[in-house]
Amino acid sequence: MRQVLITATELAQALEQEGAPQVFDCRARLGDLDAGRRLWEAGHVPGSLHLDLDRNLAAEPGAGGRHPLPSADDFAATLRRLGVTPQRPVVVLDDMGGQLAAARAWWMLAIWAGHPDVRVLDGGLKAWQEAGGELVLGQEPLPEPSQWQPTFDDSARIAADEVFSGRELKVDARSEERYRGEAEPIDPVAGHIPGAVCRPSAANLADTGRFKAPEALAAELPRAEAIVAYCGSGVTACHNILAYAVAGRTLPRLYAGSWSEWVRDPSRPVARSGRGNA
């Protein structure tokens, strides 16, 4: 399994060396499309560019859910515009919920688009600042566009109809309360996909806000011959997939539409209460 995390100290050292990684700041705030860019402009890792969750890492909300994947062509165009090439390492980071948007960027770049060296900054921007990392203001110049034509691996994702008819274990990355249908602050229907188990993404982290040790994650993460990861809109699920990668386990497939797509079709079954963690 490729290395998927990088510490703040390792990132600082890498940025001083030849062939420094390209850094993408994926900060975002639910309900405020421009908040992530404002936060980036107000202070970011030197040289980092903003990678927007809603505009770059998702298509318009609609039938595919709240954060459907963009088309492969659109995402490839974004990567070329930002100068991404498979020859230069990439580091992604954010500042909320244990790197949720950064995990989505990691999955899209490394697993879907096939970039060979993408890492998530463990602990995010907080870890960078705690390590004494500098923050700079304003914008950064874009690099020269690249000519990269990624080969997308659509076998890493799964559609709603396959989830409906398949036998893979469904692992829900939302909170226990949302899984059981006791609370649903975002989507119009509460509950979970029948047969799913709950693995809240927060359980992947230690008290420090960094990922637990690989051996701990390997012991805790749900096991099955085949697994589908989902959440509310296909973002938090990527955090669980990243945890499987940290643990050295076989990666689940992503149901990108997740609960926000599932409940758009009233013929799809909904479960409430039931068992949580596997």
Side-chain angles (χ1 to χ4, degrees):
M1 181 68 65
R2 72 190 85 178
Q3 188 172 350
V4 294
L5 299 178
I6 187 170
T7 68
T9 300
E10 290 169 338
L11 176 58
Q13 293 171 346
L15 290 175
E16 296 294 328
Q17 298 173 2
E18 186 176 351
Q22 190 169 13
V23 181
F24 289 111
D25 186 320
C26 306
R27 280 180 283 176
R29 294 293 186 269
L30 190 66
D32 187 343
L33 295 181
D34 297 317
R37 185 170 185 87
R38 290 198 306 269
L39 290 167
W40 171 74
E41 291 180 350
H44 56 265
V45 174
S48 65
L49 300 176
H50 185 242
L51 192 59
D52 193 277
L53 172 62
D54 293 287
R55 297 180 177 91
N56 304 139
L57 302 177
E60 289 288 330
R66 287 185 280 110
H67 288 107
L69 287 175
S71 70
D73 287 344
D74 285 349
F75 188 51
T78 294
L79 297 179
R80 288 192 291 272
R81 178 177 61 82
L82 295 174
V84 178
T85 72
Q87 289 75 38
R88 184 180 181 187
V90 172
V91 173
V92 292
L93 64 96
D94 67 44
D95 68 343
M96 285 191 69
Q99 302 297 86
L100 301 180
R104 168 77 166 228
W106 166 81
W107 184 89
M108 290 177 65
L109 273 158
I111 308 305
W112 192 35
H115 191 290
D117 191 354
V118 184
R119 303 187 194 187
V120 175
L121 176 59
D122 197 13
L125 197 66
K126 181 180 178 182
W128 174 259
Q129 292 178 281
E130 289 175 346
E134 177 189 7
L135 295 182
V136 297
L137 304 177
Q139 302 187 18
E140 299 279 353
L142 288 176
E144 290 293 320
S146 76
Q147 301 299 314
W148 187 31
Q149 299 285 349
T151 300
F152 288 88
D153 180 9
D154 284 325
S155 70
R157 51 190 292 205
I158 186 169
D161 289 346
E162 295 176 271
V163 173
F164 189 84
S165 61
R167 296 185 177 181
E168 295 95 339
L169 175 66
K170 273 73 77 174
V171 176
D172 190 325
R174 299 173 302 160
S175 69
E176 290 273 3
E177 292 78 11
R178 291 182 71 191
Y179 166 84
R180 291 193 296 263
E182 296 168 358
E184 182 45 70
I186 305 173
D187 293 308
V189 178
H192 61 268
I193 298 174
V197 297
C198 186
R199 169 67 182 190
S201 63
N204 299 324
L205 305 177
D207 292 340
T208 60
R210 294 163 176 78
F211 274 86
K212 293 177 179 177
E215 57 272 17
L217 289 171
E220 293 176 8
L221 290 165
R223 290 182 177 272
E225 186 174 337
I227 296 174
V228 169
Y230 82 95
C231 57
S233 67
V235 175
T236 309
C238 294
H239 195 276
N240 274 357
I241 298 175
L242 178 60
Y244 276 86
V246 173
R249 297 264 302 275
T250 300
L251 302 189
R253 291 201 286 170
L254 174 66
Y255 173 30
S258 284
W259 189 247
S260 61
E261 179 191 32
W262 184 266
V263 297
R264 285 179 174 269
D265 184 344
S267 72
R268 294 180 185 134
V270 170
R272 297 184 178 90
S273 69
R275 191 163 61 100
N277 295 337

